[in-house]
């Protein structure tokens, strides 16, 4: 009986978790601590571990791996000097013995442009993991620093925030710097607000430059601060014994000398890395007579891997992860390669291979997170990792013993039953809570310039403008920066197309052109300099670029950054839709959502959608063959038509087709979705599902044969329902709006309805459970319910489903919004879309703004009431205010606390802990001159802490004369001493409550 064990897991403990959470503010309390570390611009992630000298970036045996191995080896020589080779061997032995993984970030200029070309090539350690106790143990931040300093490994700059005040100050500082932050001001601000700052081994400015990709923040244990202090005392920064030694040719010199042949590059890099890191070239070039083209293992090994008995607990959990991802049809690649290190080590009946597990889409992490909530014992999923797998045969006695040991381990690990143990599961959301915060100066280069090149050269400046405007809108970029960037990017588009002609600029070397352009643009004005951040330190790469132009990592992810949003082909929702363009109305819904009936009503509406464009409806049930291709063909005949795509469009694959169709047929698109509260993992509630099924079971002679005569109608509805699994309502609506710029909701259920009757809820939940059993065994679409092993259960459930729903027909009819009202509301929304006036409801997605100042927002109504009281008592005030009409002209009022330009970023950020808190404000006097008027104030306390303004004279500006800026009100006290202003005391002071806000 075959059994297997697998070797070390190579995991990234940093990047992957970022995709399990939405962006949100993380608050440090007395129970939790916030850790922030740098995210380097111009980097590629390298997941490193030791197995026969193999280090990898989501894979192995390619030029990317070879570069990583070389840089890692050079790092050892820099740190240890003459001791480097011995320390490399010692380090490798330590990793293997303790089943450890070192996750690193590789920053290099030789693998293609990414943000900003680094001045030097280097790595920093981002995580340390060990798999000695049967499950991954990630080192805490202090443990990581101690480990790295012991082995002289380079680390990131790390900041710890141990109080609520420092943590909120951090996020406020980021908000203040996110649109123009570069390395120097960002590091300075964080040093000032952090409780502990641990400088990185490499100075970002010296090895990288000023362009900073971003920050990674996560919650760590409350003991981290004390522990970090102990570590810093016990492990001072290690010496660099190899700096003065001759380290041989550099990475760039080696790549330049072998730039015509990638194989030669790899060989040269590995030879210079040394035998400690690379004792064999077989991962790159095969083993003897077995060439590189035979590295791929037979696809059947994955199936065998899932069928054999696990030899240990770790293997059991890995099988569980992979089975679930395959059963749920997650977008994950499982690539298997021969392990040439062990090809001759054991019996020919044994199988030895390396399996790369690579997650392609961010949505997979959200869906997997839902599974982790249902099964707390699941191990977490990461962006990319690989494992060594050995499958081997044993005699019956040994096999029985191994199975027994394995079963005992499953029951006893950590002293509890693994299947039910929450403590053993790694689905601890607090521990995994992380967020990546990027800076606009980096995103400008990577997303707006580099990732827009293909659109610019293929589809032209108009499509490029649509792309970059949508990107900035999705990021929540401030209006000022959007305007400045639009001007610059339009100029860039003209410049680069004129220079390159019809020959597209390579994304691998785009900085050759972009950096000189940005440098010249920045020189024109201080405003441009702030927009660009830093330019001019261009590092030439023509002579040492490692990759062959146009090449790709074999895992296909080199240029796919997780923050890239797919091309948005539609104009902004607030723009007027040109009448020579078409409109595609499509339906991300479920059968029974009334889309066909709605389409008929739209066709019969006098005047259509309010303009003269013709409307056509294409019903999916009446079209043979490929539906969406038919839509494209019809749209090409007349692009200005409004197309009603009467077919359910349930997933991202279809949405991408519609995006492509918009671009190719000159149209915009709008999704119409049934309104529903949704569940934690589905945008549609059980109430909505019950109504959809009930409607389908009332239909007769349906063109698609999905009606009351269909024996599997319930199954089909469940199948559609599960196509949306993995997104809650907010995520679903946000993604549609971000893709298409508009979202129309079709009213479905009455908000004041009674809860779903228990029998209806139970029958639906039974169907969902049965559907999961069926798809776990057969997969979706592959086996009809009437032909599988659950055929009897399906037949019984379909029968009971009809009985339960019709028994509750009065309820299901009563909770629905009348169809005529729903149609009217949808048509009105569609008319607004056609005019460019539609605005979708807020999705509550956090958007980082560019904070300029902190202030206490004051209620204008109460201020006007106070002024009326003063005018009744003081004739001179009444005379002064007579022609000012403040009741209508005073729209906003605030007390400035700190301004970014005047007082610094950290001064503004220090008020983060008070954001949205009520602040008592005592108004003590009114001061006015012929040019300005203001109320003098005294700020109170919040939660026992006194609020003070960085301004010498805290006040509320009420009025300034034409052409006089509001800041001139600061001069009123001085004008008063000069006899050029008047003062009216308010006795006793009037207290008005304001709210602390950032602007």
């Amino acid at each position: 009986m075959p059994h297997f064990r697998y070797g070390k897991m190579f995991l990234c403990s940093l990047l992957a978790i970022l995709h399990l959470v939405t962006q949100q503010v993380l608050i440090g309390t007395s129970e939790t601590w916030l850790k922030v570390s740098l995210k380097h611009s111009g980097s590629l992630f390298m997941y490193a571990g030791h197995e026969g000298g193999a280090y990898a970036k989501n894979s192995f045996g390619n030029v990317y791996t070879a570069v990583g191995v070389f840089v890692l080896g050079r790092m050892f020589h820099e740190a240890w000097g003459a001791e480097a080779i011995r320390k490399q061997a010692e380090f490798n032995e330590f990793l293997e013995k303790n089943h450890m993984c070192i996750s690193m970030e590789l920053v290099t200029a030789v693998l293609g442009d990414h943000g900003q070309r680094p001045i030097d090539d280097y790595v920093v350690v981002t995580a340390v993991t060990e798999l000695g106790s049967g499950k991954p143990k990630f080192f805490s931040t202090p443990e990581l620093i101690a480990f790295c300093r012991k082995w002289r490994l380079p680390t990131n700059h790390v900041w710890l925030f141990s109080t609520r005040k420092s943590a909120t100050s951090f996020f406020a500082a980021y908000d203040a710097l996110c649109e123009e932050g570069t390395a120097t001001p960002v590091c300075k601000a964080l040093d000032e607000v952090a409780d502990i700052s641990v400088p990185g081994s490499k100075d970002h400015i010296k090895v990288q430059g000023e362009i900073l990709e971003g920050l990674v923040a996560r919650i760590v244990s409350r003991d981290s601060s004390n522990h970090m202090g102990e570590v810093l005392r016990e492990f001072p920064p290690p010496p660099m014994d190899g700096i003065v030694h001759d380290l041989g040719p550099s990475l760039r010199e080696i790549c330049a000398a072998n730039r015509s042949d990638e194989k030669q590059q790899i060989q040269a890099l590995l030879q210079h890395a040394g035998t400690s890191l690379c004792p064999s070239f077989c991962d790159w070039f095969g083993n003897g007579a077995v060439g590189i083209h035979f590295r791929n293992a037979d696809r059947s090994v994955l199936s065998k891997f899932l069928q054999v008995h696990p030899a240990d607990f770790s293997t059991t959990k890995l099988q569980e992860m992979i089975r679930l991802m395959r059963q749920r049809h997650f977008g994950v690649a499982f690539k298997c390669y021969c392990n040439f290190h062990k090809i001759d080590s054991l019996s020919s009946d044994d199988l030895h291979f390396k399996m790369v597990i690579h997650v392609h889409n961010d949505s997979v992490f959200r869906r997997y997170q839902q599974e982790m909530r249902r099964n707390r014992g699941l191990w977490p999923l990461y962006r990319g990792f690989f494992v060594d797998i050995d499958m081997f045969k044993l005699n019956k006695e040994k096999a029985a013993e191994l199975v027994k040991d394995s079963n005992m381990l499953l029951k006893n690990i950590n002293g509890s039953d693994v299947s039910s143990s929450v403590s053993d599961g790694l689905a601890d959301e607090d521990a995994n809570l992380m967020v990546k915060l990027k800076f606009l100066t980096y995103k400008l280069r990577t997303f707006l310039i580099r990732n827009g090149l293909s659109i610019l050269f293929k589809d032209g400046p108009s499509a490029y403008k649509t792309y970059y405007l949508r990107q900035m809108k999705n990021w929540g970029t401030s209006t000022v920066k959007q305007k400045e960037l639009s001007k610059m990017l339009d100029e860039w588009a003209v410049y680069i197309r004129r220079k390159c002609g019809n020959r597209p600029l390579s994304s691998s070397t785009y900085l050759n052109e972009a950096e000189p352009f940005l440098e010249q643009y920045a020189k024109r004005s201080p405003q441009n300099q702030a927009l660009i951040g830093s330019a001019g330190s261009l590092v030439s790469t023509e002579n040492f670029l490692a990759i062959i132009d146009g090449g790709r990592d074999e895992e296909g992810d080199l240029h796919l950054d997780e923050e890239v949003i797919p091309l948005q082909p539609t104009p902004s929702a607030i723009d007027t839709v040109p009448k020579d363009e078409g409109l595609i109305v499509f339906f991300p819904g479920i059968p029974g959502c009334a889309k066909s009936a709605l389409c008929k009503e739209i066709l019969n509406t006098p005047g259509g959608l309010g303009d003269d464009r013709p409307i056509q409806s294409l019903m999916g049930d009446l079209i043979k063959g490929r539906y969406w291709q038919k839509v494209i063909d019809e749209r090409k005949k007349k692009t200005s038509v409004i197309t009603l795509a009467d077919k359910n469009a349930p997933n991202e694959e279809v949405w991408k087709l519609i995006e492509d169709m918009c671009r190719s047929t000159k149209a915009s698109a709008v999704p119409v979705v049934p309104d529903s509260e949704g569940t934690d993992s589905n945008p549609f509630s059980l109430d909505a599902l019950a109504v959809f099924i009930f409607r389908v079971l009332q239909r007769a002679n349906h063109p698609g044969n999905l009606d009351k005569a269909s024996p599997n109608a319930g199954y089909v509805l469940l199948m559609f329902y599960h196509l949306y699994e993995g997104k809650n309502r907010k995520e679903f609506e946000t993604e549609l709006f971000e893709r298409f710029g508009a979202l129309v909701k079709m009213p479905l259920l009455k908000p004041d309805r009674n809860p779903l009757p228990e029998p209806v809820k139970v029958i639906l939940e039974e169907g969902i459970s049965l559907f999961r059993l069926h798809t776990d065994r057969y997969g979706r679409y592959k086996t009809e319910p009437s032909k599988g092993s659950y055929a009897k259960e399906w037949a019984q459930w379909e029968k009971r489903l009809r009985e339960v729903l019709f028994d509750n027909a009065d309820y299901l009819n009563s909770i629905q919004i009348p169809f005529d009202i729903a149609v009217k509301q949808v048509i009105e929304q569609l008319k607004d879309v056609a005019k460019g006036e539609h605005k979708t409801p807020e999705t509550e997605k956090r958007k980082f703004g560019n904070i300029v100042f902190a202030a206490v927002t004051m209620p204008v109504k109460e201020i006007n009431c106070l002024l009326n009281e003063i005018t009744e008592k003081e004739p001179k005030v009444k005379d002064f205010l007579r022609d000012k009409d403040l009741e209508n002209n005073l729209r906003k009022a605030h007390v400035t606390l700190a301004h970014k330009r005047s007082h610094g970023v950290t001064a503004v950020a220090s008020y983060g802990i008070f954001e949205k808190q009520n602040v008592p404000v005592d108004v003590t006097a009114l001061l006015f001159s012929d040019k300005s008027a203001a109320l003098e104030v005294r700020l109170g306390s919040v939660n026992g802490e006194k609020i003070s303004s960085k301004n010498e004279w805290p006040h509320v500006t009420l009025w300034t004369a034409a052409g006089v800026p509001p800041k001139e009100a600061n001069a009123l006290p001085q004008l008063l001493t000069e006899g050029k202003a008047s003062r009216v005391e308010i006795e006793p002071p009037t207290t008005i409550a304001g709210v602390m806000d950032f602007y």
Side-chain angles (χ1 to χ4, degrees):
M1 181 181 296
H3 289 68
F4 79 92
R5 64 173 178 263
Y6 78 96
K8 288 153 290 301
M9 235 187 223
F10 303 108
L11 307 172
C12 173
S13 67
L14 209 64
L15 235 193
I17 302 173
L18 301 175
H19 303 283
L20 302 181
V21 297
T22 56
Q23 285 188 334
Q24 54 189 292
V25 175
L26 311 181
I27 300 300
T29 67
S30 59
E31 299 298 318
T32 58
W33 308 78
L34 181 68
K35 187 209 85 171
V36 176
S37 59
L38 288 178
K39 180 78 169 65
H40 297 258
S41 169
S43 63
L44 300 169
F45 271 84
M46 178 179 72
Y47 306 94
H50 179 70
E51 173 61 28
Y55 292 77
K57 178 201 176 293
N58 293 356
S59 59
F60 57 92
N62 50 41
V63 68
Y64 309 102
T65 308
V67 170
V69 170
F70 176 86
V71 175
L72 197 58
R74 195 174 184 88
M75 177 202 70
F76 263 99
H77 282 280
E78 289 179 356
W80 293 101
E83 294 287 302
I85 295 178
R86 182 178 67 82
K87 280 295 181 180
Q88 280 182 8
E90 184 181 332
F91 184 60
N92 289 342
E93 181 181 358
F94 178 84
L95 295 183
E96 186 135 13
K97 179 180 178 181
N98 293 278
H99 294 261
M100 298 190 72
C101 157
I102 310 299
S103 300
M104 303 185 185
E105 190 170 0
L106 170 65
V107 185
T108 178
V110 305
L111 294 176
D113 287 337
H114 180 87
Q116 183 186 45
R117 287 179 187 163
I119 301 167
D120 197 5
D121 305 290
Y122 64 101
V123 296
V124 290
V125 175
T126 55
V128 176
T129 317
E130 63 180 28
L131 192 66
S133 62
K135 65 177 182 179
K137 175 188 180 297
F138 298 104
F139 278 23
S140 68
T141 304
E143 290 171 338
L144 184 144
I145 297 295
F147 178 88
C148 290
R149 289 192 170 182
K150 175 182 177 182
W151 289 102
R152 301 188 185 179
L153 303 175
T155 55
N156 248 330
H157 199 147
V158 174
W159 295 270
L160 287 179
F161 299 84
S162 56
T163 64
R164 179 181 175 85
K165 183 173 183 178
S166 64
T168 52
S169 294
F170 157 67
F171 282 102
Y174 171 75
D175 278 355
L177 289 167
C178 63
E179 292 193 342
E180 54 190 41
T182 54
T184 295
V186 168
C187 292
K188 180 178 183 294
L190 296 191
D191 284 342
E192 291 175 357
V193 299
D195 296 294
I196 294 180
S197 175
V198 185
S201 305
K202 298 283 187 179
D203 186 325
H204 191 284
I205 297 170
K206 292 180 180 179
V207 295
Q208 175 93 47
E210 281 288 351
I211 299 303
L212 176 64
E213 179 172 343
L215 304 167
V216 176
R218 70 184 178 96
I219 295 293
V220 295
S221 76
R222 61 180 178 177
D223 298 323
S224 285
S225 186
N226 293 334
H227 191 182
M228 181 65 80
E230 296 171 2
V231 165
L232 297 180
R233 288 189 293 272
E234 185 177 353
F235 296 95
M240 300 295 284
D241 293 339
I243 293 295
V244 297
H245 293 180
D246 181 10
L247 301 177
S250 69
L251 170 67
R252 304 181 186 195
E253 290 170 340
I254 294 173
C255 289
N258 300 275
R259 64 179 178 271
S260 62
D261 188 290
E262 186 174 297
K263 182 177 179 180
Q264 288 180 7
Q265 279 184 338
I266 293 174
Q267 288 180 326
L269 289 169
L270 298 179
Q271 286 169 353
H272 283 88
T275 56
S276 292
L277 285 179
C278 185
S280 168
F281 290 176
C282 61
D283 277 336
W284 285 266
F285 307 116
N287 186 20
V290 182
I292 193 169
H293 296 295
F294 296 93
R295 290 193 308 153
N296 288 12
D298 188 283
R299 292 188 177 185
S300 64
V301 298
L302 183 59
S303 298
K304 294 176 182 176
F305 163 71
L306 296 176
Q307 294 169 4
V308 297
H309 293 283
D312 55 32
F313 175 69
S314 300
T315 299
T316 301
K317 303 306 291 183
L318 183 65
Q319 282 180 317
E320 182 182 23
M321 290 176 65
I322 296 175
R323 284 197 189 102
L324 184 143
M325 287 187 283
R326 295 187 80 197
Q327 290 165 356
R328 297 288 187 263
H329 303 282
F330 289 173
V332 181
F334 304 95
K335 294 186 178 180
C336 299
Y337 304 87
C338 296
N339 189 343
F340 292 111
H341 294 286
K342 298 182 179 180
I343 201 165
D344 299 320
S345 61
L346 296 174
S347 165
S348 59
D349 292 329
D350 300 331
L351 289 176
H352 312 281
F353 60 96
K354 297 178 184 289
M355 179 166 61
V356 177
I357 302 173
H358 188 73
V359 180
H360 290 303
N361 300 317
D362 291 350
S363 61
V364 170
F365 293 102
R366 292 191 292 268
R367 297 173 65 189
Y368 192 87
Q369 183 78 336
Q370 298 297 334
E371 299 292 340
M372 291 175 73
R373 289 171 181 160
R374 285 191 282 264
N375 179 0
R376 299 289 288 181
L378 269 178
W379 277 9
L381 180 63
Y382 301 89
R383 171 61 70 181
F385 59 92
F386 71 88
V387 296
D388 292 338
I389 294 180
D390 303 326
M391 292 194 293
F392 52 93
K393 289 186 177 181
L394 297 174
N395 58 43
K396 292 183 179 179
E397 292 76 15
K398 184 64 177 176
E401 180 181 345
L402 195 58
V403 170
K404 181 179 178 181
D405 291 344
S406 180
N407 289 338
M408 289 297 293
L409 180 61
L410 289 175
K411 292 182 179 180
N412 297 325
I413 191 166
N414 290 339
S416 61
D417 188 333
V418 173
S419 62
S420 61
S421 172
V422 172
S423 63
D424 185 67
L426 299 181
D428 183 342
E429 292 188 43
D430 287 339
N432 289 344
L433 196 58
M434 303 179 71
V435 64
K436 182 164 57 177
L437 312 169
K438 293 191 175 183
F439 291 93
L440 187 60
T441 51
Y442 161 80
K443 293 192 287 188
L444 156 65
R445 290 159 168 81
T446 301
F447 302 123
L448 301 186
I449 294 181
R450 187 193 71 176
N451 292 357
L453 287 174
S454 60
I455 300 167
L456 175 60
F457 281 93
K458 181 181 178 181
D459 302 316
S462 179
Y464 177 57
K465 190 179 187 71
T466 298
Y467 165 74
Y468 73 65
L469 286 175
R470 184 58 45 78
Q471 288 282 52
M472 290 190 284
K473 182 178 181 181
N474 291 340
W475 297 334
T477 307
S478 68
T479 303
V480 171
K481 289 296 181 183
Q482 286 194 47
K483 184 177 180 180
E484 293 176 2
L485 282 171
S486 297
K487 179 182 177 182
M488 188 274 291
L489 291 169
D490 287 343
E491 187 172 325
W492 157 254
V494 172
Y495 166 84
I496 198 62
R497 279 171 61 89
R498 181 180 298 157
K499 184 167 186 177
C500 294
N502 294 324
R503 180 177 57 84
L505 177 64
S506 168
S507 61
S508 298
T509 57
Y510 78 101
L511 288 177
N512 285 346
E513 300 293 345
E515 279 291 322
F517 171 83
L518 293 173
E519 180 181 11
Q520 292 302 314
Y521 195 86
K523 288 179 178 178
R524 297 181 193 172
S525 68
Q527 182 185 41
N528 287 359
Q529 177 64 53
L531 181 70
I532 302 304
S534 174
S537 58
L538 182 66
V539 182
S540 177
T541 62
E542 291 86 343
N543 293 328
F544 55 83
L545 188 65
I547 62 173
I548 298 173
D549 195 28
R552 285 291 187 271
D553 184 305
E554 64 178 320
E555 298 305 322
D557 72 331
L558 177 62
H559 294 297
L560 297 181
D561 191 289
E562 57 278 2
E563 193 158 312
V564 179
I565 300 169
L567 173 65
Q568 312 298 331
T570 62
S572 172
I574 62 173
D575 294 336
T576 300
V577 180
K579 294 300 180 284
D580 61 343
E581 293 187 1
L583 178 66
I584 303 170
V585 181
F586 68 100
F587 301 89
I590 293 175
C593 67
K595 64 184 180 305
S596 296
L598 174 63
C599 288
K600 290 179 181 178
E601 293 294 329
I602 295 174
L603 285 173
N604 295 328
T605 299
L609 296 182
D611 57 38
D612 56 358
R613 286 179 291 180
I615 301 176
Q616 66 173 0
S617 180
L618 300 175
M619 187 176 186
D621 294 319
L622 298 177
I623 292 177
K624 305 298 181 183
R626 298 169 62 192
Y627 174 81
W628 294 107
Q629 185 58 51
K630 177 67 173 177
V631 175
I632 294 174
D633 294 341
E634 290 297 317
R635 286 205 45 74
K636 286 181 177 179
K637 296 176 183 178
K638 190 171 183 181
T639 59
S640 62
V641 72
I642 295 176
T643 302
L644 305 179
D646 185 5
K647 184 179 178 65
N648 288 299
N651 53 37
E652 295 173 16
E653 182 180 355
V654 175
W655 301 347
K656 182 63 171 64
L657 282 174
I658 296 171
E659 287 180 312
D660 293 340
M661 192 190 312
C662 287
R663 190 165 62 253
S664 63
T665 67
K666 202 175 182 182
S668 56
V670 56
V672 177
V673 300
D675 204 1
S676 171
E677 297 93 340
T679 69
D680 288 341
S681 61
N682 199 295
F684 297 102
S685 65
L686 288 182
D687 307 55
L689 178 61
V691 168
F692 295 152
I693 299 177
F694 182 61
R695 288 175 176 176
V696 167
L697 294 178
Q698 292 177 295
R699 301 193 305 206
N701 301 317
H702 184 259
N705 297 320
L706 185 60
D707 51 31
K708 62 183 180 182
S710 171
N712 298 323
Y715 169 83
V716 173
L717 269 290
L718 289 176
M719 181 185 69
F720 272 94
Y721 183 74
H722 279 82
L723 289 175
Y724 296 92
E725 192 71 13
K727 288 186 177 72
N728 60 35
R729 189 68 184 190
K730 185 173 70 173
E731 292 167 340
F732 171 71
E733 291 184 359
T734 296
E735 180 163 357
L736 284 170
F737 178 64
E738 288 181 350
R739 283 177 178 267
F740 300 102
L743 180 67
V744 170
K745 295 184 179 183
M746 183 175 183
L748 177 66
L749 304 176
K750 296 178 180 178
D752 56 348
R753 64 186 182 277
N754 292 324
L756 194 66
E758 191 65 20
V760 176
K761 181 180 178 183
V762 169
I763 195 67
L764 293 178
E765 290 175 343
E766 288 178 1
I768 290 171
S769 298
L770 183 57
F771 181 84
R772 286 178 177 161
L773 287 173
H774 180 88
T775 53
D776 284 350
R777 174 166 295 187
Y778 300 108
R780 294 179 187 174
Y781 319 119
K782 295 183 179 179
T783 301
E784 294 181 9
S786 60
K787 296 180 180 178
S789 57
Y790 299 105
K792 182 178 179 181
E793 287 83 353
W794 275 120
Q796 293 175 345
W797 180 80
E798 293 278 1
K799 181 175 182 295
R800 288 188 292 109
L801 174 69
R802 287 157 173 76
E803 293 172 353
V804 171
L805 293 185
F806 285 108
D807 285 346
N808 291 274
D810 290 343
Y811 169 82
L812 294 173
N813 285 321
S814 69
I815 64 173
Q816 299 180 46
I817 298 287
F819 182 64
D820 58 337
I821 295 177
V823 169
K824 181 179 179 181
Q825 291 190 25
V826 170
I827 290 177
E828 289 302 316
Q829 292 177 73
L830 287 174
K831 286 181 177 179
D832 288 341
V833 169
K835 297 175 185 176
E837 297 175 354
H838 177 74
K839 293 183 180 180
T840 199
E842 288 293 327
T843 60
E844 298 181 5
K845 179 179 179 180
R846 172 170 168 75
K847 295 181 179 180
F848 295 109
N850 186 23
I851 291 176
V852 176
F853 63 95
V856 177
T857 303
M858 302 293 288
V860 173
K861 183 177 180 180
E862 293 188 32
I863 288 177
N864 279 321
C865 289
L866 173 61
L867 292 175
N868 289 335
E869 293 176 7
I870 297 174
T871 56
E872 291 179 3
K873 299 177 182 178
E874 298 289 342
K876 61 179 180 179
V877 173
K878 185 175 183 179
D879 290 341
F880 173 77
L881 295 178
R882 180 175 289 111
D883 59 345
K884 306 299 187 294
D885 191 19
L886 292 185
E887 193 155 336
N888 292 316
N889 292 331
L890 183 62
R891 303 294 179 85
K892 296 179 180 179
H894 65 264
V895 181
T896 299
L897 301 176
H899 195 284
K900 184 167 64 174
R901 302 296 180 205
S902 303
H903 307 107
V905 169
T906 53
V908 175
S910 67
Y911 294 98
I913 193 172
F914 306 114
E915 187 175 13
K916 300 304 178 184
Q917 296 287 314
N918 290 329
V919 180
V921 178
D922 292 338
V923 182
T924 58
L926 169 66
L927 277 70
F928 57 93
S929 70
D930 59 346
K931 293 184 178 179
S932 62
L935 291 172
E936 181 182 85
V937 301
R938 185 172 58 236
L939 297 166
S941 300
V942 175
N943 298 325
E945 186 169 349
K946 175 72 174 176
I947 305 296
S948 60
S949 172
K950 304 300 180 185
N951 276 340
E952 292 184 12
W953 184 58
H955 65 277
V956 178
T957 301
L958 301 175
W959 168 84
T960 58
V964 177
K967 67 178 181 180
E968 291 300 320
N970 282 292
L972 282 170
Q974 178 63 32
L975 293 175
L976 181 65
T977 62
E978 298 172 359
K980 298 177 182 179
S982 301
R983 175 186 177 93
V984 175
E985 296 286 341
I986 300 175
E987 288 288 349
T990 299
T991 301
I992 300 176
V995 176
M996 166 40 218
D997 284 313
F998 287 117
Y999 290 88

